[in-house]
Amino acid sequence: MARKDGPLVISVINMKGGVGKSTISALLARHGAIRRNLDVLAIDLDPQANLSQALMHNSYGQFLTDQRASIVEVFNGYLPPSPSSSGPSPLGPDDAVEGIFEWEDRSLDLIPARFDFSDNLTNAIRPDAKALARFIAANFKDKDLIIIDCAPTESILTHAAYHASRLLLVPVKPEYFATIGFPLLAQSLTNFRRQNRGHKIEVAGIVINNGFYHGGNNGGPEKTQAMADIRADAAKNNWHMFKHEIPFSRGFPKKMRGDFSYSGNSDMFSYFANEFFKSIGM
Ligand SMILES: Nc1ncnc2c1ncn2[C@@H]1O[C@H](COP(=O)(O)OP(=O)(O)O)[C@@H](O)[C@H]1O
Ligand SMILES: [Mg+2]
């Protein structure tokens, strides 16, 4: 169901780990394909490969064993010699893409990461920060939505995500040090915009994750203070805050492992997802 303007590309980012970037990337990608009828591509830009594991579950092990192409080959720009090829070969549009889900006219695909991703990129030659944007531009015109899960530290990969993205989604956990990554993100965005003047990149919004136990503990004074800090910093940067929070739920880690037997409050994710998709016009 290709969009007239091509896919909307959005990176899930925060210069802080453990805030739910990978969880939210996986859930939004699934929600987009399954509930919103969208053709979705998810891209794992974190060498820890949490998004890949969350979408591929048990088949991620086989993917590693088979040494199938991944985000590493996207940055390299070719497939290495293998038993079936006598030298390097061109990277085709379907190489490095794993099918996760397909139904009628929509699908969810993934460009997975590998644990050696960071070694591979920091070796000798500096990787090309525009390689990912180029690969997307050449091969994924027909997708509706592309979701990129970012690593927490600023690196060449952050710039690769920026080059490919129109929007950023920033998950935050309302606890002490919640806003520690905000000045880093604001500064890094300012620098990127200065160096890439033709590129419109914006923060779609901040989403509060893992902040309260629905029906029980509301987070207490710690959360109240953190929320005040987050609101103040969001206002300072002119960043929107989504109204619906994502609650704490043991259902989230379970779903990431591929166990859908218990959802609990994780079903409340759809309140945020609906608000998010409405805000991006999908
Ligand atoms: N809303 C939530 N409720 C309960 N656990 C959560 C929630 N969001 C994330 N988690 C858990 O917190 C940990 C960090 O989440 P993750 O998505 O990997 O964060 P990041 O990608 O930002 O490092 C994971 O174990 C994940 O299952
Ligand atoms: Mg992650």
Side-chain angles (χ1 to χ4, degrees), residues 22 46 50 149:
S22 302
D46 186 346
N50 291 151
D149 182 25

Side-chain angles (χ1 to χ4, degrees), residues 129-130 159-160 162-165 188-201:
K130 294 180 180 169
H159 290 254
Y162 289 162
H163 279 297
S165 297
S188 120
L189 261 179
T190 303
N191 293 342
F192 179 83
R193 286 180 178 131
R194 191 181 304 131
Q195 291 155 9
N196 299 275
R197 294 203 182 265
H199 183 145
K200 288 277 165 280
I201 183 166

Side-chain angles (χ1 to χ4, degrees), residues 225-247:
Q225 181 58 51
M227 287 300 294
D229 293 346
I230 294 167
R231 286 212 175 85
D233 268 45
K236 194 165 74 195
N237 289 296
N238 218 356
W239 294 341
H240 170 72
M241 282 184 69
F242 288 100
K243 187 164 121 299
H244 291 96
E245 301 181 9
I246 302 169

Side-chain angles (χ1 to χ4, degrees), residues 31-173:
H31 188 101
I34 296 169
R35 306 267 196 98
R36 296 258 155 185
N37 261 332
L38 299 171
D39 220 342
V40 183
L41 173 69
I43 300 177
D44 195 347
L45 261 194
D46 186 346
Q48 301 219 338
N50 291 151
L51 176 67
S52 309
Q53 294 165 78
L55 291 177
M56 294 176 79
H57 307 308
N58 292 334
S59 57
Y60 186 66
Q62 193 59 48
F63 156 83
L64 290 179
T65 308
D66 293 349
Q67 305 189 328
R68 297 203 292 267
S70 70
I71 190 76
V72 173
E73 283 68 34
V74 170
F75 277 92
N76 289 341
Y78 66 91
L79 294 172
S82 71
S84 58
S85 68
S86 48
S89 28
L91 189 66
D94 297 331
D95 291 322
V97 178
E98 298 284 323
I100 301 297
F101 160 95
E102 196 170 355
W103 199 67
E104 295 183 353
D105 61 345
R106 65 202 200 262
S107 62
L108 169 57
D109 292 326
L110 167 74
I111 299 182
R114 259 185 2 224
F115 304 123
D116 65 340
F117 185 21
S118 54
D119 302 345
N120 208 289
L121 288 181
T122 45
N123 271 348
I125 302 164
R126 191 173 157 78
D128 181 353
K130 294 180 180 169
L132 178 64
R134 240 181 257 125
F135 189 68
I136 290 174
N139 298 307
F140 299 103
K141 275 267 169 291
D142 289 344
K143 289 284 177 196
D144 300 309
L145 177 68
I146 299 182
I147 294 179
I148 302 177
D149 182 25
C150 295
T153 44
E154 174 147 22
S155 72
I156 184 80
L157 298 179
T158 320
H159 290 254
Y162 289 162
H163 279 297
S165 297
R166 172 74 180 86
L167 294 176
L168 305 177
L169 174 65
V170 186
V172 178
K173 218 174 145 182

